[in-house]
Amino acid sequence: MENSYIGYHFTIEPKEPGSEILIAELGERAFESFIETENGISAYVQKALWNEDILNDIYILENEEFKISYTIEEIAQVNWNEEWEKNFEPIDVDGICHVRAPFHEKTDAKYDIVIEPKMSFGTGHHETTYMMIQHLLEMDVTDMKTLDMGCGTAILAILAEMKGAQPIDAIDIDNWCYLNSIENAERNNCKHISVYEGDASLLNQGQKYDLIIANINRNILLNDMQTYVNCLNKGGILLLSGFYNEDIPYIDASCTEKGLTYVKKFQKNNWVALKYVN
Ligand SMILES: C[S@@+](CC[C@H](N)C(=O)[O-])C[C@H]1O[C@@H](n2cnc3c(N)ncnc32)[C@H](O)[C@@H]1O
């Protein structure tokens, strides 16, 4: 790995919901990986994207209801495997889908997904990923032409392929996620996933999907919703996550004004994952 990183080790009191709020706020900056620790979180930003004002105007740091302190560390070369071995427990979604790292024992789950998480979001540990897995598990996606937007580790694209979806495009704006998604797709013997680096501007070729999965964040989803809907076949399904319960009115208004119909939601802690049909 060429990139060096700046790691922030935050101690947060109370840890919940402090960690969750802080991760959401840092995620809107250039921070790209978060590891839960005993007293808070560690958050990592590429040195090339870092500047000394990066924590300015982070609301929770000024909120008197939380006591937050941190130390900063520059990391030239991180052994992410070692980090993840220390921190990555396998995930079990409803007893049907297991997500584990290559160094964990193989399981007999119906869908046994192996993810080398490195720096990409998407190990199933986050509520939003977990709920998107739940949506996919209860759907018949056989032969659905699928887009995984903001694919992270490609975990959702991989599950979609395991459940019979094809072909699948997986797109992420982040170079690390792009490279990691290619690796993870290969590691899980996926044959129908094409990974691209970029954003919604890649969706201007007239391509159409039966299923679009987008676990990103409220603002990006609102910004790119029209593009997603333009790419969705009639009767197609849109799965959305990366936002909170209180964001639903904004997301729902955007979806319904574009002709989509609400189907159902999952909620975990304060995060939600919504399903719409075109
Ligand atoms: C919350 S993570 C979700 C990862 C994975 N799909 C999952 O469910 O675990 C959001 C991902 O979206 C990517 N992303 C952020 N902005 C984006 C954009 N405008 N277009 C595409 N991907 C974007 C980030 O790099 C990140 O990998």
Side-chain angles (χ1 to χ4, degrees):
M1 180 172 65
E2 302 294 319
N3 298 334
S4 59
Y5 283 82
I6 308 285
Y8 284 74
H9 307 294
F10 291 95
T11 302
I12 306 167
E13 254 187 78
K15 189 175 166 196
E16 293 304 339
S19 304
E20 192 177 302
I21 297 169
L22 184 59
I23 289 174
E25 288 202 78
L26 296 176
E28 304 229 323
R29 307 287 166 98
F31 286 84
E32 58 183 69
S33 185
F34 306 97
I35 294 178
E36 190 177 350
T37 58
E38 199 181 337
N39 303 316
I41 56 159
S42 293
Y44 299 89
V45 54
Q46 279 186 41
K47 195 176 174 196
L49 301 176
W50 178 86
N51 67 67
E52 60 186 18
D53 297 330
I54 198 157
L55 295 187
N56 281 6
D57 303 323
I58 298 277
Y59 145 86
I60 191 172
L61 297 179
E62 287 151 28
N63 185 331
E64 288 176 359
E65 286 175 29
F66 296 94
K67 257 176 63 189
I68 301 180
S69 59
Y70 59 87
T71 57
I72 304 180
E73 176 191 17
E74 184 170 338
I75 309 161
Q77 193 82 38
V78 194
N79 184 343
W80 291 110
N81 268 352
E82 209 174 274
E83 287 303 307
W84 282 104
E85 275 182 52
K86 280 188 272 171
N87 291 288
F88 183 13
E89 292 293 320
I91 301 289
D92 176 350
V93 183
D94 301 337
I96 308 170
C97 177
H98 286 177
V99 186
R100 63 183 174 91
F103 47 81
H104 294 130
E105 293 277 306
K106 186 172 167 32
T107 77
D108 54 6
K110 186 166 182 196
Y111 305 108
D112 178 38
I113 302 179
V114 181
I115 293 292
E116 178 89 71
K118 294 191 178 168
M119 288 293 288
S120 317
F121 185 108
T123 56
H125 289 80
H126 198 268
E127 288 90 335
T128 59
T129 313
Y130 189 98
M131 291 185 292
M132 292 298 252
I133 292 174
Q134 287 184 304
H135 272 302
L136 286 172
L137 286 179
E138 61 179 37
M139 288 173 62
D140 178 1
V141 298
T142 311
D143 292 332
M144 278 190 162
K145 186 166 186 217
T146 298
L147 168 65
D148 180 3
M149 197 65 192
C151 58
T153 55
I155 183 171
L156 302 175
I158 291 167
L159 177 59
E161 168 156 344
M162 287 178 170
K163 295 203 72 210
Q166 60 154 335
I168 300 167
D169 290 336
I171 298 179
D172 203 288
I173 200 167
D174 180 86
N175 179 255
W176 260 95
C177 295
Y178 162 74
L179 296 172
N180 188 227
S181 289
I182 294 173
E183 273 180 40
N184 286 327
E186 280 173 12
R187 180 172 282 115
N188 290 277
N189 299 317
C190 292
K191 302 279 181 277
H192 303 292
I193 299 177
S194 307
V195 186
Y196 302 92
E197 182 178 346
D199 60 15
S201 62
L202 294 180
L203 301 173
N204 60 1
Q205 310 291 318
Q207 58 269 67
K208 289 276 189 183
Y209 299 96
D210 305 310
L211 170 62
I212 298 180
I213 306 162
N215 176 11
I216 308 184
N217 66 41
R218 183 186 93 161
N219 292 344
I220 290 172
L221 294 176
L222 289 175
N223 194 52
D224 293 342
M225 196 74 80
Q226 188 64 61
T227 310
Y228 301 160
V229 175
N230 292 346
C231 293
L232 196 58
N233 281 326
K234 195 72 203 144
I237 300 290
L238 179 62
L239 299 179
L240 298 171
S241 194
F243 49 91
Y244 298 113
N245 204 26
E246 50 268 30
D247 296 322
I248 290 179
Y250 302 98
I251 296 284
D252 189 63
S254 173
C255 289
T256 48
E257 84 188 9
K258 295 173 185 60
L260 303 185
T261 306
Y262 170 80
V263 180
K264 74 173 284 186
K265 77 167 178 177
F266 284 107
Q267 177 169 350
K268 202 162 187 268
N269 298 325
N270 203 27
W271 295 95
V272 287
L274 307 185
K275 177 176 180 178
Y276 285 87
V277 61
N278 192 15

